[in-house]
Amino acid sequence: VFRRDSDVTHAPMFQQVEGLVVGRGVGLGHLKGTIEAFLHALFGPQYPVRFRASYFPYTEPSVEADLGCIVCGGSGRLATGSCRICKATGWLEILGSGMVNPAVFEAVNARLGRVVYDPEEITGFAFGLGIERVAMVRHGIDDIRLFYENDLRFLEQFAS
């Protein structure tokens, strides 16, 4: 994946894990429940999850999921000052998601030359999150660029 921005929490190139659920009766509640369960399994149930409206081109509605910051405990502050991971908000944007836009199903049908997914009957949700973001949160790393600078002092902390 490539993105234009690059800072302590965003890399211009990153690896992404994606999820897709498609079927009859799949709704926004299923999306939210799945993401909450997924994030609690990854990070622990003690960290709250919240959802904010967003925009992604293939989902409608689209939402971003935020996790209560593991580094500062959701306070936005550290003993040394503001938390750089959550940018002093107490929340960390962890993944993007949304309900599959019916136009996506129509495009699949057009590509296949037959109706496989009737958007009147079939719905779905999708989500994606960067692997580096998960590693940052789990290990309290406050600068994503450390993964790419090849500093052995940093990398040797994770030797198996």
Side-chain angles (χ1 to χ4, degrees):
V1 176
F2 177 79
R3 68 167 6 120
R4 293 177 192 259
D5 51 340
S6 180
D7 58 33
V8 297
T9 60
H10 297 93
M13 292 177 287
F14 61 98
Q15 291 77 52
Q16 183 165 302
V17 173
E18 297 179 345
L20 174 65
V21 174
V22 174
R24 294 187 198 298
V26 175
L28 192 58
H30 298 106
L31 165 74
K32 290 176 72 176
T34 299
I35 288 175
E36 281 187 15
F38 179 66
L39 293 176
H40 286 156
L42 273 176
F43 301 108
Q46 68 273 31
Y47 299 103
V49 175
R50 73 175 183 184
F51 296 89
R52 293 178 293 110
S54 190
Y55 169 79
F56 300 106
Y58 301 106
T59 59
E60 178 61 37
S62 301
V63 294
E64 291 193 42
D66 297 334
L67 186 70
C69 186
I70 290 175
V71 175
C72 68
S75 71
R77 306 269 320 145
L78 298 171
T80 57
S82 295
C83 180
R84 284 186 3 166
I85 290 279
C86 68
K87 298 178 181 153
T89 66
W91 293 96
L92 177 64
E93 172 196 326
I94 196 75
L95 61 81
S97 63
M99 298 302 295
V100 176
N101 189 321
V104 172
F105 294 129
E106 292 167 2
V108 169
N109 293 336
R111 174 86 170 147
L112 296 175
R114 60 190 170 91
V115 175
V116 176
Y117 302 105
D118 180 350
E120 297 292 323
E121 296 181 24
I122 301 298
T123 55
F125 66 79
F127 64 91
L129 73 158
I131 296 170
E132 294 90 343
R133 180 68 58 94
V134 172
M136 288 177 70
V137 173
R138 288 188 62 120
H139 298 289
I141 298 165
D142 68 354
D143 191 333
I144 199 168
R145 297 171 292 195
L146 290 169
F147 290 119
Y148 305 104
E149 292 177 344
N150 294 321
D151 182 337
L152 288 178
R153 295 167 298 178
F154 171 77
L155 297 174
E156 286 174 344
Q157 299 177 66
F158 306 102
S160 54

